[in-house]
Amino acid sequence: MQTMSCEAVCTQSLKRRIMAAYLRVGVITAPHGIHGQVKVYPTTDDVRRFTQLDHCYVETKSGRKTLHPEDVRFFKNLVIIQFREFSSIEDAMPYKGGDLLIDRDQAIPLGEGEYYIADLIDLKVQTEDGTVLGVLQDVMETGANDVYIVGRPDGKDLLIPAIPDCILDIDLQEGVITVHLLDGLLNL
């Protein structure tokens, strides 16, 4: 098996992100009732956005399908959606576990210093002196601040709080996040 350097992985990831025209806003968790409604776990900060969609896509192993929401309700931490394309539980069942995507131009505009998580994944993470720490694998959303999960070459994850003291710069064009490591972060 051939392995790639962090730089090669980051270059490929940057190309993939630039080509990405979609953002994930939810995951279909299960059918709801017998008339084709589905339960959706939202992966967006603004769940009300589902009421404003005229269409979205569901991504599954068999491909992408366009869906048109007709009715949207909220229940606990889920969104219940009736899509025009589903009229029975049998219609909805094949899409269980499918990602709901929107076109990037339907995304809620970001404020200054805000980023879509999808744009951060796979960025190279380095210290202010240029030492490469690894690649951003995921972002853990906590109540106080996000935490960046950096996959390191030794296989151990490095957790970096997404606070101004630690995250010095995010350069999407170059595919690099520059960080300052607070004392003790490497020892966790």
Side-chain angles (χ1 to χ4, degrees):
M1 181 173 114
Q2 183 181 9
T3 59
M4 289 193 259
S5 70
C6 181
E7 288 77 16
V9 171
C10 289
T11 301
Q12 284 184 345
S13 298
L14 182 59
K15 289 178 186 173
R16 186 171 63 245
R17 274 193 315 283
I18 291 170
M19 303 279 293
Y22 306 100
L23 294 172
R24 184 175 78 161
V25 292
V27 178
I28 296 176
T29 61
H32 179 76
I34 61 171
H35 299 292
Q37 293 178 326
V38 293
K39 295 177 186 176
V40 173
Y41 179 77
T43 58
T44 176
D45 289 339
D46 182 6
V47 296
R48 298 283 172 204
R49 73 168 357 282
F50 288 99
T51 63
Q52 301 164 358
L53 293 178
D54 64 334
H55 73 280
C56 60
Y57 309 95
V58 61
E59 184 76 28
T60 65
K61 293 177 185 172
S62 59
R64 184 175 301 129
K65 178 180 178 74
T66 303
L67 299 175
H68 299 87
E70 290 187 327
D71 184 49
V72 177
R73 295 182 292 133
F74 303 95
F75 179 72
K76 297 185 180 182
N77 65 336
L78 297 174
V79 182
I80 309 295
I81 304 176
Q82 176 70 59
F83 290 109
R84 180 183 333 151
E85 292 76 12
F86 303 159
S87 60
S88 69
I89 193 170
E90 290 81 15
D91 292 342
M93 188 58 88
Y95 300 98
K96 179 180 176 181
D99 288 332
L100 284 183
L101 308 172
I102 60 168
D103 294 304
R104 193 172 270 271
D105 62 3
Q106 290 180 295
I108 296 170
L110 296 174
E112 186 176 332
E114 294 180 328
Y115 301 90
Y116 297 114
I117 291 174
D119 292 337
L120 298 177
I121 301 298
D122 294 332
L123 291 182
K124 177 173 66 172
V125 179
Q126 67 183 26
T127 62
E128 62 256 77
D129 68 4
T131 303
V132 176
L133 299 171
V135 176
L136 187 70
Q137 299 295 309
D138 203 354
V139 176
M140 184 183 348
E141 298 178 73
T142 68
N145 56 267
D146 292 346
V147 176
Y148 290 0
I149 302 172
V150 179
R152 303 189 65 201
D154 63 6
K156 295 180 181 177
D157 289 339
L158 173 62
L159 304 178
I160 302 175
I163 57 175
D165 287 347
C166 293
I167 308 302
L168 303 179
D169 184 53
I170 296 176
D171 188 334
L172 295 179
Q173 294 292 5
E174 293 295 320
V176 176
I177 299 174
T178 303
V179 301
H180 169 75
L181 293 178
L182 299 175
D183 290 340
L185 278 180
L186 282 175
N187 300 328
L188 295 177

